[in-house]
Amino acid sequence: MRRRTLPAATALAVLFSSVALVATGAGSAAADSGVSLPLKSTGDIVVDGSHQRVFISDPTAGQVVVTNYAGAVVGTVGSLPGVRGLELSPDSGTVYAAVGDADAIVAIDTATATEAHRWSTGTAAPEYVALTGGKVWFSYGSGGDGNIGSLDLSGTEPVLALGQDTARTFYDAPILDASPGAPGTLVAGAPGQSPVVLAVYDVSSGTASRGAYAFDPGNTGGGNLADLAVTPDGKDVITASGAPYYQAAYKLSDLSADGKYVTNTYPNAVDIAPNGDVAAGTFSWYDPDVHVFKQGVSTPLRQYDFPNTGNSSGSDTLAPRGLAWAPDESRLFAVSLNDSDVYTLRILDAPTKTPTTLTANAPATAPRAQQLTVTGTLTSSSAFPAGTKVSVTRTDEESPAGKALGTATVATDGSYSYPDSPPAGGKVTYTVSYAGDADHAGATATHSVTVAKSAATVTLDNNLKVYGYNSSVTFTAHLGTTYKNRTLEIWADPYGSDKPNALVKKGTVDSHGNLTATVRLTRDAKISAKFTGDTRYAARATTNTVYTKVSVSSSLSGAYKTATAWNEKYSYFHQSKDPVHNTSMTMYPGRKYQFQIQQFYSGAWHTTATEYFGLDRYGKDSVLLDDNPPTGVRFRIRSSYIDTKSGDNVNATTYGGWKYFTFTR
């Protein structure tokens, strides 16, 4: 049967798109995924580990977009004009949002991703928000009137207090942060200002009292502060500013320099995991964008360089303040932007673990049920514990979902080997996996082997036999030893382009391995027996050719009598009567028949005329004989189909019966 396969075109626009992030520097890895976001701008990002949700503020659109850990949007909180700073409550039940253009602090329920409460901040337009000392602290103001306010939500009615920074430290609303490690301490920094200005406030009494203050802390000459974060132990604040080209750490006690995390041009983001590991971001077209550090180590453990999804020569860039850890450090979330203003949430898995590289190798081909060996290496920049193992899974036709085979121990040089004898033939894929440990990221490698299947035996009878027109012929196909599939198919493909190959019978062979089918033959045909194979025996087919004669008949008209003579039935014609020879034959487009006359003399029949005549659309034709023949001479005449010479090859050569005649006066 002829089959046509049409490609299935899918025109489904989705947000999900796998985007590779190239990890550079200390270790190499390709991670993870990138998902386009429905944003017009970004202000802040926080991660709720309890519900595994990511909250991203969009000041321009006046919304907070909520995604799950895979990046799928699960909610959008609207009617938040100018929303910027976000802060997650200690119980992960609420995200507090500073909504500047509405002069309000809004509480978002993390479970439902909806607005739960809204509190007015009077005439103050809040920009950034932090939680400490039992209050919600926010910054507001601009043009020389930057200040800090608080909202006490512990009572039956909220209590608003503005103008808490009596020293009037900031020109604009400062960036705020606090840490459970320093309860009652609030840290503030002047955004975009050069040089950097930082201040630390004691808010344990309920009001803000400025303590440590620094104008250009560390005397770095740096400026354009974009982000800051207080360490979980409450000891330091880490800043990200356009210069210098590192994320600097300062002691909260006096804002003196306390180390640095070296990145590259234009730092613009920083976030700290609960265990103190640091994620540092930079605005970098041609360098890595995200840098991950172990606490207190100035050299990055891993670096990620965003791809270029836009039209410029440089890659996508990190949005300011666009980094946030999952609380369990299983993921790091980053918001990037291309030159077409398309935002992407990038999900970086296991960012604090040393990248690992795993390879898997095996022979390209192998015989079935014979042993082969899967080999490979597991490598990393840091040593693996003794006894490290990799798991091996085999996927084949017998185990399409995969079958766990066991584990292989990794040697001190990183190599491993695993022997296996694949029971099934065809494509066999070995998947080798390393689960990872506390210090190393997991890895997976695959390798496919083409395993030869055993040869099946398929036979079919009646090859090259010739049958009469419209014969019903029984064909017997035989299937030899196989594994599980005992089904055969018998197909018939008649000669001629107008008749398709057709399935005659499909069934399970009998106890002797036989399957029979009856075919009515009107043309030559290719008869095939097909075995589709199973997991251990290859598909097999055998094709025979059988030939079929045409139906042909002829008659003579005009005789005045018939009689038996010379052991044949003769038609007698008067010499003055012209005989008519009538032919009827199985019709096929363009078919002709062979017209042949013989005369008996010298003791044998001799051909006196042979010619081909066309048939009408009913397969009929008549020939008038008007040659004034001699009397007393024996003649015979017949019509035949001659393969190919009759204009086609769809039947076997078929000679019609002779018609005998003679003439009298």
Side-chain angles (χ1 to χ4, degrees):
M1 181 178 292
R2 296 178 177 87
R3 294 180 175 90
R4 178 175 296 155
T5 302
L6 296 176
T10 303
L12 179 62
V14 293
L15 288 177
F16 290 94
S17 59
S18 295
V19 180
L21 305 177
V22 179
T24 61
S28 62
D32 289 347
S33 61
V35 182
S36 297
L37 293 171
L39 298 175
K40 295 183 179 179
S41 65
T42 58
D44 203 359
I45 175 174
V46 295
V47 179
D48 164 25
S50 295
H51 302 98
Q52 295 199 344
R53 290 182 169 181
V54 181
F55 294 76
I56 306 166
S57 62
D58 181 349
T60 301
Q63 63 180 359
V64 170
V65 173
V66 187
T67 77
N68 60 20
Y69 271 16
V73 175
V74 296
T76 300
V77 185
S79 301
L80 304 175
V83 61
R84 186 172 299 278
L86 303 175
E87 186 74 7
L88 181 68
S89 65
D91 64 1
S92 296
T94 303
V95 167
Y96 293 94
V99 187
D101 293 346
D103 298 331
I105 298 294
V106 170
I108 298 171
D109 186 307
T110 55
T112 62
T114 58
E115 180 177 328
H117 300 284
R118 181 177 293 225
W119 300 280
S120 172
T121 54
T123 59
E127 293 288 325
Y128 301 95
V129 64
L131 300 176
T132 190
K135 293 184 179 181
V136 178
W137 296 86
F138 59 89
S139 62
Y140 63 94
S142 62
D145 291 324
N147 215 309
I148 297 171
S150 67
L151 195 61
D152 186 350
L153 304 175
S154 61
T156 56
E157 294 293 333
V159 177
L160 175 67
L162 301 178
Q164 296 271 357
D165 180 21
T166 57
R168 303 180 68 84
T169 307
F170 299 102
Y171 186 84
D172 294 315
I175 302 171
L176 303 179
D177 197 29
S179 168
T185 299
L186 183 68
V187 180
Q193 188 170 309
S194 296
V196 172
V197 175
L198 295 176
V200 181
Y201 297 85
D202 181 356
V203 298
S204 58
S205 66
T207 59
S209 174
R210 195 181 81 176
Y213 166 78
F215 182 82
D216 190 14
N219 297 313
T220 62
N224 297 313
L225 179 71
D227 200 5
L228 59 83
V230 179
T231 57
D233 60 10
K235 178 175 174 285
D236 291 332
V237 59
I238 302 175
T239 61
S241 54
Y245 297 157
Y246 56 82
Q247 272 75 347
Y250 304 101
K251 295 179 181 179
L252 293 192
S253 58
D254 58 7
L255 292 178
S256 60
D258 196 26
K260 58 186 176 183
Y261 296 90
V262 179
T263 53
N264 49 36
T265 53
Y266 314 128
N268 68 346
V270 62
D271 194 46
I272 308 173
N275 73 343
D277 291 339
V278 175
T282 53
F283 178 89
S284 307
W285 279 315
Y286 305 104
D287 292 305
D289 304 274
V290 177
H291 320 258
V292 179
F293 300 84
K294 300 302 290 184
Q295 183 179 12
V297 180
S298 63
T299 302
L301 173 68
R302 297 181 76 167
Q303 299 187 91
Y304 296 88
D305 193 5
F306 295 154
N308 182 358
T309 65
N311 300 307
S312 67
S313 61
S315 65
D316 295 6
T317 55
L318 181 70
R321 308 190 76 216
L323 288 176
W325 288 95
D328 63 359
E329 294 188 75
S330 62
R331 297 167 180 81
L332 178 63
F333 298 92
V335 179
S336 67
L337 174 68
N338 69 14
D339 65 336
S340 299
D341 294 330
V342 175
Y343 288 86
T344 299
L345 179 64
R346 303 193 181 277
I347 303 104
L348 316 180
D349 288 326
T352 61
K353 295 184 178 182
T354 304
T356 58
T357 301
L358 181 62
T359 65
N361 299 287
T365 60
R368 190 189 67 79
Q370 295 187 28
Q371 183 172 294
L372 57 81
T373 303
V374 181
T375 62
T377 57
L378 178 69
T379 57
S380 176
S381 60
S382 62
F384 293 97
T388 294
K389 296 181 182 296
V390 294
S391 300
V392 182
T393 299
R394 181 184 63 229
T395 303
D396 55 22
E397 291 181 12
E398 290 187 14
S399 303
K403 179 180 181 180
L405 300 180
T407 60
T409 301
V410 179
T412 55
D413 64 356
S415 64
Y416 70 88
S417 64
Y418 190 91
D420 184 50
S421 299
K427 181 180 180 181
V428 178
T429 299
Y430 291 94
T431 300
V432 184
S433 300
Y434 170 60
D437 56 34
D439 300 315
H440 298 88
T444 299
T446 62
H447 188 89
S448 295
V449 180
T450 300
V451 175
K453 294 184 177 182
S454 301
T457 300
V458 178
T459 60
L460 183 66
D461 62 357
N462 298 331
N463 188 36
L464 302 180
K465 291 185 178 180
V466 181
Y467 295 94
Y469 180 79
N470 211 27
S471 297
S472 291
V473 179
T474 298
F475 293 88
T476 300
H478 177 78
L479 177 63
T481 301
T482 61
Y483 178 48
K484 288 185 177 180
N485 184 9
R486 300 298 293 164
T487 300
L488 277 179
E489 298 175 358
I490 297 179
W491 293 72
D493 187 8
Y495 276 38
S497 60
D498 59 328
K499 297 287 187 180
N501 191 16
L503 177 64
V504 178
K505 187 175 182 180
K506 177 180 180 180
T508 302
V509 297
D510 62 20
S511 59
H512 302 290
N514 296 329
L515 180 72
T516 61
T518 300
V519 180
R520 188 172 66 86
L521 298 174
T522 59
R523 298 182 184 181
D524 297 347
K526 301 285 187 181
I527 307 298
S528 301
K530 297 181 181 180
F531 169 63
T532 58
D534 57 27
T535 59
R536 301 186 182 185
Y537 283 80
R540 187 70 179 266
T542 186
T543 300
N544 290 351
T545 301
V546 292
Y547 301 102
T548 306
K549 295 182 178 181
V550 300
S551 173
V552 56
S553 62
S554 63
S555 64
L556 287 169
S557 59
Y560 68 87
K561 75 171 184 175
T562 59
T564 300
W566 301 286
N567 297 320
E568 298 290 348
K569 184 178 180 179
Y570 274 78
S571 296
Y572 287 81
F573 294 87
H574 292 296
Q575 189 179 35
S576 59
K577 181 68 175 179
D578 295 329
V580 176
H581 183 254
N582 305 296
T583 299
S584 179
M585 184 178 291
T586 306
M587 186 52 188
Y588 187 81
R591 176 166 289 180
K592 298 175 289 184
Y593 68 99
Q594 184 194 65
F595 175 82
Q596 185 179 26
I597 298 178
Q598 290 186 344
Q599 180 181 344
F600 190 86
Y601 60 88
S602 300
W605 289 101
H606 301 274
T607 299
T608 59
T610 300
E611 193 168 348
Y612 284 87
F613 295 106
L615 297 162
D616 65 16
R617 61 175 180 162
Y618 302 107
K620 298 182 182 300
D621 190 53
S622 296
V623 177
L624 178 69
L625 304 176
D626 59 354
D627 287 339
N628 193 24
T631 60
V633 178
R634 296 158 56 187
F635 294 94
R636 66 180 183 179
I637 190 170
R638 71 178 176 183
S639 295
S640 302
Y641 167 83
I642 308 301
D643 191 351
T644 305
K645 291 183 179 180
S646 286
D648 62 79
N649 70 334
V650 302
N651 285 99
T653 294
T654 309
Y655 293 100
W658 290 106
K659 300 297 180 183
Y660 295 84
F661 63 100
T662 187
F663 293 90
T664 62
R665 291 187 180 278

